[in-house]
Amino acid sequence: MCRKFALCMSLVMSLTLSQALAAEQFRVLSSWDNSYEPVGQILGGFLERLEEESNGEITSRVSGPETFPPFEQLDPVSRGLMDMLFTNGAYHYNDTAVAMSLDSLIGGPDKLRESGIWDHVDESYQERGLKLIAVLYDMNGYAIMLREALDPDNGLKGRRIRGTPIYHPVIEALGASPVVLSASEIYPALERGVVDGAAWPTVGPVGLRLYEVADYMLRPSFGQVGHEVFMGLDKWNSLDQETRDLISRVAEEYEAEAVDKFNEIVAMEESTLEKEGVTITELNDKQQAQVDKAWFQGAMDLAEKQSPEAVKRIRELAAEAGMAP
């Protein structure tokens, strides 16, 4: 009897939800194409969850950087040309550095919300016509793929290393010069020797096939990688309250799950890189100390220079919550 009652209640709730939600198909823009594993596994998993939880009322269609250049994607979403964006804060540094600062913090999605930083970031982007939906963290952080091993005495002195602005303090701390290139340009630049290495999340070198043009991976890794999901604010405001509530609930639940998903992806990637003959080249203690200092202070200073008031508040909230190294 109880089992039949539970099934009936489940059916009633499903029917109620279907009736409450208006059908939506979101046009989703990604800063990366499908060669970057998180596009399929992390973004794809989130969009599938939304579809499941809405009983098929919420669907999506994903377009990559071939639609809009990866460093110029805030504008088309804020103007309603696309509905959602899957990106990293460093990709729109020239517009705002608020989300970029999240990658220098210590602590996962729960602490980000508990500290008040999540809400602060949301408020900041709403001023730009965007609503923060989720911060999907890869806690394994960033690393550098290299054509030649690290010099134990001189680090990367004299080398040219690809990196978006958030990497620049680390690259410079190791004696190298940063070069800004989009993801699609990394492989040919390494192949031709235009750059000597490429800074990238620990997730991704396999999909980009960087093991074919770089024989070494720098370890330990540093920082943590935020993958933000935004929605155009006008689009968000046009949704009914039930739909907004469902998206918010699913996003918060999925933030915690994404951490484990990223760990699985990184383990598989590192295993593949080892099988392909990529060798670990390690920072010594002095170099590691330089990297750790440069990552937090450098990234935060850079972010604060671009977005002074918003990032200053993030630094204050991070210090209060123990999220600063």
Side-chain angles (χ1 to χ4, degrees):
M1 183 69 178
C2 290
R3 185 169 180 272
K4 289 181 179 179
F5 178 76
L7 288 171
C8 288
M9 288 301 296
S10 177
L11 179 59
V12 168
M13 290 177 67
S14 295
L15 289 171
T16 301
L17 182 61
S18 295
Q19 292 167 357
L21 297 181
E24 293 284 347
Q25 182 178 67
F26 294 132
R27 299 163 297 170
V28 183
L29 179 61
S30 170
S31 292
W32 309 274
D33 61 27
N34 288 327
S35 65
Y36 183 48
E37 197 72 19
V39 173
Q41 294 208 39
I42 304 299
L43 173 62
F46 174 58
L47 297 177
E48 287 172 9
R49 184 66 56 80
L50 284 178
E51 185 168 352
E52 291 170 3
E53 293 287 334
S54 68
N55 295 316
E57 293 300 314
I58 295 176
T59 57
S60 57
R61 184 176 72 253
V62 180
S63 301
E66 74 283 351
T67 309
F68 294 96
F71 302 153
E72 302 171 16
Q73 293 181 333
L74 290 191
D75 181 66
V77 180
S78 66
R79 291 196 293 124
L81 300 178
M82 302 293 286
D83 299 319
M84 297 175 70
L85 173 63
F86 180 60
T87 191
N88 174 265
Y91 277 50
H92 51 262
Y93 169 79
N94 289 330
D95 292 314
T96 175
V98 174
M100 188 181 84
S101 68
L102 301 183
D103 292 12
S104 65
L105 303 178
I106 296 172
D110 288 347
K111 292 199 71 173
L112 199 66
R113 287 178 178 270
E114 292 167 4
S115 66
I117 293 175
W118 198 102
D119 288 336
H120 177 68
V121 173
D122 182 25
E123 291 170 7
S124 177
Y125 277 85
Q126 287 197 34
E127 294 175 2
R128 294 179 169 273
L130 296 158
K131 172 77 176 76
L132 181 63
I133 301 298
V135 179
L136 307 176
Y137 259 139
D138 171 15
M139 307 301 290
N140 298 277
Y142 296 92
I144 301 177
M145 297 289 291
L146 295 165
R147 286 162 54 92
E148 297 180 6
L150 186 77
D151 186 319
D153 298 316
N154 297 310
L156 299 175
K157 187 175 181 180
R159 304 192 206 183
R160 289 165 57 82
I161 306 296
R162 177 271 175 191
T164 50
I166 194 170
Y167 297 105
H168 292 186
V170 167
I171 292 170
E172 291 167 351
L174 291 171
S177 300
V179 178
V180 176
L181 298 171
S182 65
S184 63
E185 298 174 287
I186 296 174
Y187 187 104
L190 281 168
E191 185 178 36
R192 296 195 303 266
V194 174
V195 295
D196 304 294
W200 192 259
T202 53
V203 172
V206 171
L208 295 174
R209 304 185 70 83
L210 298 187
Y211 54 81
E212 296 178 350
V213 288
D215 293 330
Y216 298 90
M217 53 183 174
L218 187 70
R219 292 293 186 274
S221 59
F222 48 90
Q224 52 195 50
V225 190
H227 296 72
E228 288 79 32
V229 179
F230 294 104
M231 181 178 287
L233 186 58
D234 287 343
K235 180 64 177 179
W236 174 258
N237 288 335
S238 75
L239 302 175
D240 58 57
Q241 189 61 50
E242 289 80 7
T243 302
R244 292 198 297 267
D245 289 345
L246 181 141
I247 293 171
S248 296
R249 174 180 61 79
V250 171
E252 185 169 358
E253 292 172 355
Y254 193 78
E255 283 179 340
E257 295 176 31
V259 172
D260 293 331
K261 285 178 174 284
F262 272 115
N263 289 341
E264 293 172 4
I265 297 172
V266 169
M268 292 177 62
E269 290 241 344
E270 293 194 336
S271 175
T272 299
L273 291 175
E274 290 175 10
K275 290 176 183 177
E276 293 292 341
V278 175
T279 303
I280 291 175
T281 181
E282 292 194 72
L283 297 162
N284 59 36
D285 290 343
K286 180 181 178 181
Q287 292 164 341
Q288 181 64 51
Q290 290 174 324
V291 166
D292 290 342
K293 181 179 179 180
W295 180 251
F296 178 74
Q297 293 186 358
M300 275 293 188
D301 288 347
L302 186 65
E304 192 168 345
K305 183 178 180 180
Q306 178 72 338
S307 306
E309 294 183 10
V311 175
K312 180 181 179 182
R313 182 55 180 156
I314 288 174
R315 292 184 100 147
E316 294 170 350
L317 292 170
E320 292 170 6
M323 298 180 71

